[in-house]
Coordinates of all heavy atoms in Angstrom, one line a residue:
G560 N -26.7 -6.4 -64.5 CA -26.4 -7.6 -65.3 C -26.9 -7.5 -66.7 O -26.2 -7.9 -67.6
H561 N -28.1 -6.9 -66.9 CA -28.6 -6.7 -68.2 C -27.8 -5.7 -69.0 O -27.6 -5.9 -70.2 CB -30.1 -6.3 -68.2 CG -31.0 -7.5 -67.8 ND1 -31.1 -8.6 -68.6 CD2 -31.9 -7.7 -66.8 CE1 -32.0 -9.4 -68.1 NE2 -32.4 -8.9 -67.0
M562 N -27.4 -4.7 -68.3 CA -26.5 -3.7 -69.0 C -25.2 -4.3 -69.5 O -24.7 -4.0 -70.6 CB -26.2 -2.5 -68.1 CG -27.4 -1.5 -68.0 SD -26.8 0.2 -67.6 CE -26.0 -0.1 -66.1
A563 N -24.7 -5.2 -68.6 CA -23.4 -5.9 -69.0 C -23.6 -6.6 -70.3 O -22.8 -6.6 -71.2 CB -23.0 -6.8 -67.9
I564 N -24.8 -7.4 -70.4 CA -25.1 -8.1 -71.6 C -25.2 -7.2 -72.8 O -24.7 -7.5 -73.9 CB -26.4 -8.9 -71.4 CG1 -26.4 -9.9 -70.3 CG2 -26.9 -9.5 -72.7 CD1 -25.8 -11.2 -70.7
A565 N -25.8 -6.0 -72.6 CA -26.0 -5.1 -73.7 C -24.7 -4.5 -74.2 O -24.5 -4.5 -75.4 CB -26.9 -4.0 -73.2
V566 N -23.8 -4.0 -73.3 CA -22.7 -3.2 -73.8 C -21.4 -4.0 -73.9 O -20.4 -3.6 -74.5 CB -22.5 -1.9 -73.0 CG1 -23.7 -1.0 -73.1 CG2 -22.2 -2.3 -71.6
G567 N -21.4 -5.2 -73.3 CA -20.2 -6.1 -73.4 C -19.1 -5.8 -72.4 O -19.1 -4.8 -71.7
K568 N -18.1 -6.6 -72.5 CA -17.0 -6.7 -71.5 C -16.3 -5.3 -71.3 O -16.2 -4.9 -70.2 CB -16.0 -7.7 -72.0 CG -15.0 -8.1 -70.9 CD -13.8 -8.8 -71.6 CE -13.8 -10.3 -71.4 NZ -12.9 -11.1 -72.1
D569 N -15.8 -4.7 -72.4 CA -15.0 -3.5 -72.2 C -15.7 -2.4 -71.6 O -15.3 -1.8 -70.6 CB -14.4 -3.1 -73.5 CG -13.5 -4.2 -74.1 OD1 -13.1 -5.1 -73.2 OD2 -13.3 -4.3 -75.3
A570 N -17.0 -2.1 -72.1 CA -17.7 -1.0 -71.6 C -18.2 -1.2 -70.1 O -18.4 -0.3 -69.4 CB -18.9 -0.7 -72.5
F571 N -18.3 -2.5 -69.8 CA -18.9 -2.8 -68.4 C -17.8 -2.9 -67.4 O -18.1 -2.9 -66.2 CB -19.8 -4.0 -68.5 CG -20.6 -4.2 -67.2 CD1 -21.7 -3.4 -66.9 CD2 -20.2 -5.1 -66.2 CE1 -22.4 -3.5 -65.8 CE2 -20.9 -5.3 -65.0 CZ -22.0 -4.5 -64.8
E572 N -16.6 -3.1 -67.8 CA -15.4 -3.4 -67.0 C -15.4 -2.6 -65.6 O -15.3 -3.1 -64.6 CB -14.1 -3.2 -67.7 CG -12.9 -3.4 -67.0 CD -12.6 -4.9 -66.9 OE1 -12.6 -5.6 -67.9 OE2 -12.3 -5.4 -65.7
P573 N -15.6 -1.2 -65.7 CA -15.5 -0.4 -64.5 C -16.6 -0.8 -63.4 O -16.4 -0.5 -62.2 CB -15.7 1.0 -64.9 CG -15.7 1.0 -66.4 CD -15.8 -0.4 -66.9
Y574 N -17.7 -1.5 -63.9 CA -18.8 -1.7 -62.9 C -18.8 -3.2 -62.5 O -19.6 -3.6 -61.6 CB -20.1 -1.4 -63.6 CG -20.1 0.0 -64.2 CD1 -19.8 0.2 -65.5 CD2 -20.2 1.1 -63.4 CE1 -19.8 1.5 -66.1 CE2 -20.2 2.4 -63.9 CZ -19.9 2.6 -65.3 OH -19.8 3.8 -65.8
F575 N -17.8 -4.0 -63.0 CA -17.8 -5.4 -62.7 C -17.7 -5.7 -61.2 O -18.5 -6.3 -60.6 CB -16.7 -6.1 -63.5 CG -16.6 -7.6 -63.3 CD1 -17.7 -8.4 -63.1 CD2 -15.3 -8.1 -63.1 CE1 -17.5 -9.7 -62.9 CE2 -15.2 -9.5 -62.8 CZ -16.3 -10.3 -62.7
V576 N -16.6 -5.1 -60.6 CA -16.3 -5.4 -59.2 C -17.4 -4.9 -58.3 O -17.9 -5.7 -57.5 CB -14.9 -4.8 -58.8 CG1 -14.7 -5.0 -57.3 CG2 -13.9 -5.5 -59.6
P577 N -17.9 -3.6 -58.4 CA -19.0 -3.2 -57.5 C -20.2 -4.0 -57.6 O -20.9 -4.3 -56.6 CB -19.2 -1.7 -57.9 CG -18.4 -1.4 -59.0 CD -17.3 -2.5 -59.2
T578 N -20.6 -4.4 -58.9 CA -21.8 -5.2 -59.1 C -21.6 -6.6 -58.4 O -22.5 -7.1 -57.7 CB -22.1 -5.5 -60.6 OG1 -22.1 -4.2 -61.2 CG2 -23.4 -6.2 -60.8
M579 N -20.4 -7.2 -58.5 CA -20.2 -8.5 -57.9 C -20.2 -8.4 -56.3 O -20.8 -9.2 -55.7 CB -18.8 -9.0 -58.3 CG -18.7 -9.6 -59.7 SD -19.7 -11.1 -59.9 CE -18.7 -12.3 -59.1
Q580 N -19.7 -7.2 -55.9 CA -19.7 -7.0 -54.4 C -21.1 -7.0 -53.9 O -21.5 -7.6 -52.9 CB -19.0 -5.7 -54.0 CG -17.5 -6.0 -53.7 CD -16.7 -4.7 -53.6 OE1 -17.2 -3.6 -54.2 NE2 -15.6 -4.7 -53.0
C581 N -22.0 -6.2 -54.6 CA -23.4 -6.1 -54.1 C -24.1 -7.4 -54.1 O -24.8 -7.8 -53.2 CB -24.1 -5.1 -55.0 SG -25.9 -5.1 -54.7
A582 N -23.8 -8.2 -55.2 CA -24.4 -9.5 -55.3 C -24.0 -10.4 -54.1 O -24.8 -11.1 -53.5 CB -24.1 -10.2 -56.6
L583 N -22.7 -10.4 -53.8 CA -22.1 -11.2 -52.8 C -22.7 -10.8 -51.4 O -23.0 -11.7 -50.5 CB -20.6 -11.2 -52.7 CG -20.0 -12.0 -53.9 CD1 -18.5 -11.6 -54.1 CD2 -20.1 -13.5 -53.7
E584 N -22.8 -9.5 -51.2 CA -23.5 -9.0 -49.9 C -24.9 -9.6 -49.8 O -25.3 -10.0 -48.8 CB -23.5 -7.5 -49.9 CG -22.2 -6.8 -49.6 CD -22.3 -5.3 -49.9 OE1 -23.4 -4.8 -50.1 OE2 -21.2 -4.8 -50.1
G585 N -25.6 -9.6 -51.0 CA -26.9 -10.1 -51.0 C -27.0 -11.6 -50.5 O -27.9 -12.0 -49.8
L586 N -26.0 -12.4 -51.0 CA -25.9 -13.8 -50.6 C -25.7 -13.9 -49.1 O -26.2 -14.9 -48.5 CB -24.7 -14.5 -51.3 CG -24.9 -14.9 -52.7 CD1 -23.7 -15.8 -53.1 CD2 -26.2 -15.7 -52.9
A587 N -25.1 -13.0 -48.5 CA -24.8 -13.1 -47.0 C -26.1 -12.7 -46.2 O -26.1 -13.0 -45.0 CB -23.7 -12.1 -46.6
M588 N -27.0 -12.1 -46.9 CA -28.3 -11.7 -46.1 C -29.3 -12.9 -46.2 O -29.3 -13.7 -47.1 CB -28.9 -10.5 -46.8 CG -28.0 -9.3 -46.7 SD -28.8 -7.9 -47.4 CE -27.5 -6.7 -47.4
D589 N -30.1 -12.9 -45.2 CA -31.0 -14.0 -45.1 C -32.3 -13.7 -45.9 O -33.3 -13.4 -45.3 CB -31.4 -14.3 -43.6 CG -32.3 -15.5 -43.5 OD1 -32.3 -16.3 -44.5 OD2 -33.0 -15.6 -42.5
N590 N -32.2 -13.6 -47.2 CA -33.3 -13.3 -48.0 C -33.3 -14.0 -49.3 O -32.4 -13.7 -50.2 CB -33.3 -11.8 -48.2 CG -34.5 -11.3 -49.0 OD1 -34.6 -11.6 -50.2 ND2 -35.5 -10.6 -48.4
T591 N -34.2 -14.9 -49.5 CA -34.1 -15.8 -50.7 C -34.2 -15.0 -52.0 O -33.6 -15.3 -53.0 CB -35.2 -16.9 -50.7 OG1 -35.5 -17.2 -49.3 CG2 -34.7 -18.2 -51.3
D592 N -35.0 -13.9 -52.0 CA -35.2 -13.1 -53.2 C -33.8 -12.5 -53.6 O -33.5 -12.6 -54.8 CB -36.1 -11.9 -52.9 CG -37.6 -12.4 -53.0 OD1 -37.8 -13.6 -53.5 OD2 -38.5 -11.6 -52.6

Side-chain angles (χ1 to χ4, degrees):
H561 285 301
M562 279 204 304
I564 295 279
V566 298
K568 193 196 258 173
D569 299 338
F571 192 75
E572 180 79 50
Y574 309 98
F575 175 46
V576 174
T578 306
M579 285 295 285
Q580 266 167 343
C581 170
L583 288 165
E584 281 164 22
L586 279 190
M588 297 182 189
D589 183 21
N590 181 291
T591 332
D592 280 349

